[in-house]
Amino acid sequence: MIGAERMDMGETDMEGMEKGVLEDTLLQLATRLRERAFCRYVKDRLDYKELLQAACEAEKGYCDMELTNEQREQIDLLLESRANAEERELTLTYVAGILDGVAFLRKLGFLDMYVQDGQEKSC
């Protein structure tokens, strides 16, 4: 969100900036955690390796195509844009999964010692 939009929601510029820094920090952390989880659980799976091999074959075909520099640049931009969007989607989906897990634990009562009805328990 832009600072002016945050102001409309009752936030000060400082609160908006702090929220933005916090969101950025959390996204960076989630990305690193997701990458670690990928290395632990995904990279050695046969189905993943097969998909990766198919992508490599498609890339070889792309490299062999007789394209003008302009066509190649446009296709490269398209592929990079999609990859960036997919990268962000993966991180946000990873965060959503964590949030779902926390919500599930709360619903089952495992977090009752820490929170109650949206409020943090105090000393």
Side-chain angles (χ1 to χ4, degrees), residues 29-87:
L29 177 60
T31 298
R32 298 303 166 259
L33 291 171
R34 178 184 55 78
E35 289 169 348
R36 282 183 161 175
F38 169 81
C39 289
R40 263 193 313 264
Y41 306 117
V42 178
K43 75 176 182 120
D44 294 324
R45 289 182 53 102
L46 181 59
D47 56 344
Y48 172 73
K49 287 182 176 184
E50 289 171 350
L51 291 170
L52 198 55
Q53 181 63 35
C56 288
E57 292 299 322
E59 185 175 8
K60 287 178 188 175
Y62 166 69
C63 289
D64 291 341
M65 293 175 72
E66 293 184 24
L67 300 171
T68 66
N69 285 339
E70 184 178 309
Q71 290 170 325
R72 195 167 300 280
E73 286 175 8
Q74 186 62 42
I75 292 170
D76 289 345
L77 178 61
L78 167 68
L79 295 173
E80 182 180 354
S81 299
R82 284 189 177 174
N84 289 339
E86 290 168 358
E87 180 82 14

Side-chain angles (χ1 to χ4, degrees), residues 1-16:
M1 249 187 248
I2 301 173
E5 292 172 341
R6 287 190 173 123
M7 289 292 290
D8 292 340
M9 297 179 357
E11 293 181 6
T12 66
D13 279 339
M14 184 60 76
E15 288 171 334

